[in-house]
Amino acid sequence: MAAAVLELKSVERHYVQGPRKLTILNGAEFTLHRGEMVALVAPSGTGKSTLLHTAGLLERPDGGDVILSGKACGRLSDDERTAIRRNDIGFVYQFHHLLPEFSALENIMMPQLIRGLSKPEAAKRAAQLLDYMQIGKRAQHRPSELSGGEQQRVAIARAVANAPLVLLADEPTGNLDPVTASYVFDALEALVRQSGLAALIATHNHELAGRMDRRVTLNEGKVVPL
């Protein structure tokens, strides 16, 4: 089996609402391997986003730890966590969150420039990713000039621009019609398979979930197989 890239070890996540403590993750255990696509399928309100945010180091676990390529990350400083997110974790959301004043190419260049690449290097990789996602001809178009499917493919390309180890996606096709959703997922799947990324993808789309390597859900704060 391929190496484990992401591991959740007995992860706890709680929120306080007035006098109540709401437990979202309760000793959650999960392992994601290189080149693997895992579907996270669970009803709204069960903690999918919390799981993704904790796995992606956007939220700190209240207990347990998040291990990325063998490194314990749950107790790192904010600066250390930010650096890991920038270099090793890609995020895709239901809404594309592209910067409206920049072109598709510039949106994909942005995380590379923040990482320290030169403009020519960043532009070259951005163009390659747009070609790979089959929207190279739309490189100079702003998000408002792109279709929903094109916007989401740009968002996926931006998420992998820094060649992360892990891709975390929260309903990446949730705003798209079934035909466009399938087309976008085709591009995402090809990217994961050919790059060796490890991907955890939350989705309500059971057809797309069935195309992944395995499916998991959340039950009483724990990650369990479907």
Side-chain angles (χ1 to χ4, degrees):
M1 181 176 287
V5 176
L6 172 69
E7 297 175 84
L8 303 185
K9 297 286 191 180
S10 302
V11 167
E12 303 278 339
R13 194 73 181 95
H14 313 288
Y15 298 103
V16 176
Q17 293 184 337
R20 293 196 312 136
K21 183 173 80 170
L22 186 62
T23 296
I24 305 299
L25 300 178
N26 185 20
E29 299 270 348
F30 176 71
T31 302
L32 185 65
H33 297 91
R34 177 175 171 80
E36 183 181 38
M37 294 184 76
V38 176
L40 174 59
V41 183
S44 297
T46 55
K48 293 195 306 295
S49 294
T50 296
L51 179 69
L52 290 171
H53 290 170
T54 305
L57 309 184
L58 291 168
E59 298 184 21
R60 290 184 184 276
D62 296 305
D65 212 338
V66 179
I67 314 295
L68 191 67
S69 285
K71 181 176 183 177
C73 299
R75 302 292 175 263
L76 296 178
S77 70
D78 287 343
D79 286 346
E80 289 172 316
R81 289 156 60 87
T82 297
I84 291 172
R85 286 198 305 269
R86 181 175 62 239
N87 298 330
D88 296 331
I89 304 172
F91 295 92
V92 182
Y93 299 97
Q94 183 171 345
F95 186 70
H96 56 77
H97 294 296
L98 298 174
L99 299 171
E101 66 271 29
F102 295 106
S103 68
L105 186 81
E106 290 167 336
N107 266 280
I108 301 169
M109 289 173 62
M110 200 66 63
Q112 300 177 76
L113 296 174
I114 292 171
R115 187 175 183 175
L117 267 69
S118 68
K119 280 190 176 181
E121 288 177 305
K124 181 179 179 181
R125 176 156 173 80
Q128 289 172 339
L129 284 167
L130 284 170
D131 285 340
Y132 188 86
M133 301 299 282
Q134 300 182 14
I135 49 172
K137 293 181 180 178
R138 310 290 277 168
Q140 299 306 322
H141 289 72
R142 294 186 179 185
S144 61
E145 301 169 315
L146 303 175
S147 69
E150 289 170 339
Q151 291 169 346
Q152 202 63 334
R153 277 180 279 167
V154 174
I156 292 168
R158 179 183 59 183
V160 301
N162 282 337
L165 300 171
V166 176
L167 179 68
L168 302 173
D170 195 354
E171 298 288 350
T173 62
N175 280 335
L176 307 175
D177 65 81
V179 173
T180 304
S182 181
Y183 190 62
V184 168
F185 186 81
D186 287 345
L188 174 58
E189 183 177 21
L191 189 63
V192 170
R193 301 302 187 196
Q194 294 189 26
S195 67
L197 263 172
L200 176 61
I201 301 172
T203 181
H204 282 109
N205 188 319
H206 289 274
E207 180 183 347
L208 297 184
R211 293 169 56 180
M212 299 189 219
D213 298 309
R214 57 189 171 102
R215 295 177 297 163
V216 298
T217 189
L218 284 162
N219 183 23
E220 297 183 349
K222 291 179 168 57
V223 181
V224 296
L226 265 179

